[in-house]
Amino acid sequence: MTQHEAVDVVVIGGGQAGLAAGYHLRRAGLDFVVLDAGTAPGGAWRQTWDSLHLFSPAAYSSLPGRPMPPQPGETYPDAAHVVAYLTAYEQRYDLPVHRPVRVTGVHRDGERLRVETDSGTWRARAVVSATGTWSRPFVPAVPGRTEYQGTQLHTVEYRRPSDFAGRKVIVVGGGNSGAQIAADLAYGSDLTWTTLREPRYLADDIDGRALFDHATARRRALDEGRTDTGGVASLGDIVAVPPVRAARDAGLLKPQPMFARLTETGVERPDGTTAEADAIIWCTGFRPALSHLAPLGLRGPRGHVPTTNTQAVGEPRLHLLGYGDWTGPASATLIGVGRPARDAARAIAELLG
Ligand SMILES: Cc1cc2nc3c(=O)[nH]c(=O)nc-3n(C[C@H](O)[C@H](O)[C@H](O)COP(=O)(O)OP(=O)(O)OC[C@H]3O[C@@H](n4cnc5c(N)ncnc54)[C@H](O)[C@@H]3O)c2cc1C
């Protein structure tokens, strides 16, 4: 296997978090590479369903240094626009992204960390892991899942409503993905939307801007040692983006309580009644993609690696970026990842002297 030249920093993952890390590592004067398993720029935005739009306007969706241009005719840009923006960002800053390169393991190797991949080995003095969550879809262990003979898919596999035209579809999940996919299917399919609890919509006039403002206020409170105002989840679960609002206001999004089990042909409710379904779409979330860090033995509760801000508690040469609020408020958003990326680059520059 190829042994690549040693670098100061290896960034694992070339989605928005990896690019923001690259931007700040460059500014910090460090020598780095970004290793990305994808075949082209854009991270998870290349793999979403066709109708997905951001929940914030372009001006609230920018990475450090370069504002996202508005998308003509759209207040909320679509995923293709985000991919184009990330592609241009990577080129503009000439970020050294290698693709497709999948990292299989990060190991301690004396003074350095050894990053093993399907295209050889890199040695680095520090590592930023920014692999996101999209490659680790989560489906809950509901009884009967293996008995059910219909189609089951997760958010990551859903593409467009025409694939389910006229079919009986159950969408499971009361978050943004569940609400948006249910709204997508509400017009052409026989839809049942199933949620664990009554869906909690944010007020109609609130979009991602307010979520970001909330995260900023939280960051400030934490920085100043004041009481934690809580994550954005305290505001609600579902941003009422225009298609969700339209389907809800047309009476097409009527949530049903979660079923008790799957049968061969559908579901059984807690009261024993049954319903048929051709397909079940699990919009039940994601877990952080961290298996490449297993050799470091850092795994903590809920599958996370314990961190102080972005720095791994058990390995100061490792930073984690993106993933969720546990690596910094709003760290898993386009506009929110800039600040933790800057802090991580500064901490690495300091560590490496
Ligand atoms: C449905 C949905 C809607 C969202 N809407 C918004 C929104 O409107 N606004 C907003 O700001 N945020 C939104 N987000 C949140 C967030 O911005 C995205 O999830 C974003 O893709 C996260 O970026 P990332 O760089 O952390 O991860 P990703 O985009 O997933 O990028 C990770 C990269 O790492 C690579 N990778 C993974 N494992 C390895 C490995 N072992 N070796 C090498 N490379 C690897 C992947 O191929 C990928 O290219 C949304 C998320 C979802 C799921």
Side-chain angles (χ1 to χ4, degrees), residues 11-19 35-49 52-56 60-61 77 86 99 101-105 117 130-135 155 176-177 180 208 286 289 291-292 321-324 330-337:
V11 179
I12 308 172
Q16 64 199 37
L19 300 190
L35 307 180
D36 185 33
T39 51
W45 296 107
R46 285 168 45 79
Q47 296 162 33
T48 66
W49 62 95
L52 179 71
H53 284 64
L54 292 180
F55 50 65
S56 317
Y60 268 70
S61 307
L86 295 178
R99 326 190 147 83
V101 178
R102 177 166 293 281
V103 173
T104 50
T117 81
T131 46
T133 58
W134 197 256
S135 60
T155 309
N176 283 301
S177 308
Q180 289 186 28
F286 302 86
S291 60
H292 56 288
L321 204 56
Y323 300 115
S331 167
T333 64
L334 282 154
I335 196 168
V337 74

Side-chain angles (χ1 to χ4, degrees), residues 81 105-106 131 158 192 196-197 256 264 270 306 334:
H81 187 74
V106 179
T131 46
Y158 172 73
T192 305
L196 260 187
R197 58 179 180 179
Q256 301 296 315
E264 262 188 38
L334 282 154

Side-chain angles (χ1 to χ4, degrees), residues 303-330:
H304 294 184
V305 167
T307 51
T308 306
N309 300 317
T310 58
Q311 189 173 39
V313 171
E315 174 51 80
R317 295 172 292 181
L318 173 68
H319 286 254
L320 291 96
L321 204 56
Y323 300 115
D325 275 359
W326 58 282
T327 56

Side-chain angles (χ1 to χ4, degrees), residues 8-352:
D8 289 333
V9 188
V10 166
V11 179
I12 308 172
Q16 64 199 37
L19 300 190
Y23 173 88
H24 282 295
L25 289 169
R26 166 80 38 80
R27 283 177 69 110
L30 294 168
D31 166 34
F32 66 96
V33 290
V34 181
L35 307 180
D36 185 33
T39 51
W45 296 107
R46 285 168 45 79
Q47 296 162 33
T48 66
W49 62 95
D50 294 351
S51 68
L52 179 71
H53 284 64
L54 292 180
F55 50 65
S56 317
Y60 268 70
S61 307
S62 302
L63 292 181
R66 190 169 171 80
M68 178 186 284
Q71 182 174 10
E74 303 279 358
T75 307
Y76 300 99
D78 64 17
H81 187 74
V82 182
V83 171
Y85 168 69
L86 295 178
T87 306
Y89 188 92
E90 207 174 293
Q91 287 165 356
R92 166 75 179 77
Y93 293 109
D94 194 20
L95 297 174
V97 186
H98 299 246
R99 326 190 147 83
V101 178
R102 177 166 293 281
V103 173
T104 50
V106 179
H107 304 257
R108 293 189 183 88
D109 194 350
E111 299 266 286
R112 296 201 173 248
L113 292 167
R114 192 174 75 249
V115 179
E116 296 197 340
T117 81
D118 57 6
S119 307
T121 301
W122 273 263
R123 283 187 167 70
R125 297 165 71 202
V127 164
V128 177
S129 183
T131 46
T133 58
W134 197 256
S135 60
R136 270 201 70 204
F138 172 75
V139 177
V142 176
R145 262 195 64 209
T146 50
E147 286 161 42
Y148 177 65
Q149 300 293 310
T151 307
Q152 291 188 63
L153 60 161
H154 186 272
T155 309
V156 298
E157 294 152 312
Y158 172 73
R159 286 295 168 270
R160 60 192 67 85
S162 58
D163 295 342
F164 300 91
R167 296 171 70 196
K168 289 190 172 74
V169 185
I170 300 179
V171 172
V172 184
N176 283 301
S177 308
Q180 289 186 28
I181 291 177
D184 222 19
L185 292 166
Y187 303 90
S189 303
D190 180 350
L191 167 75
T192 305
W193 182 31
T194 300
T195 59
L196 260 187
R197 58 179 180 179
E198 192 61 28
R200 296 188 315 142
Y201 292 99
L202 280 86
D204 285 3
D205 58 347
I206 289 189
D207 63 16
R209 285 173 280 204
L211 297 181
F212 183 69
D213 288 345
H214 185 85
T216 307
R218 182 183 187 209
R219 173 81 266 164
R220 205 169 294 137
L222 292 174
D223 285 352
E224 293 170 5
R226 288 185 278 119
T227 313
D228 188 354
T229 52
V232 290
S234 59
L235 297 178
D237 297 323
I238 301 170
V239 181
V241 290
V244 167
R245 206 181 312 157
R248 183 200 62 192
D249 293 350
L252 299 173
L253 289 187
K254 295 230 167 65
Q256 301 296 315
M258 184 63 189
F259 47 81
R261 55 176 290 113
L262 279 94
T263 65
E264 262 188 38
T265 55
V267 296
E268 186 181 310
R269 304 187 187 96
D271 64 5
T273 58
T274 57
E276 306 281 287
D278 300 313
I280 298 180
I281 306 181
W282 298 98
C283 303
T284 41
F286 302 86
R287 296 289 181 265
L290 298 175
S291 60
H292 56 288
L293 301 179
L296 297 173
L298 301 170
R299 211 176 143 91
R302 291 180 293 134
H304 294 184
V305 167
T307 51
T308 306
N309 300 317
T310 58
Q311 189 173 39
V313 171
E315 174 51 80
R317 295 172 292 181
L318 173 68
H319 286 254
L320 291 96
L321 204 56
Y323 300 115
D325 275 359
W326 58 282
T327 56
S331 167
T333 64
L334 282 154
I335 196 168
V337 74
R339 178 172 167 150
R342 182 197 68 191
D343 293 348
R346 282 185 184 164
I348 290 171
E350 213 165 285
L351 183 80
L352 304 189

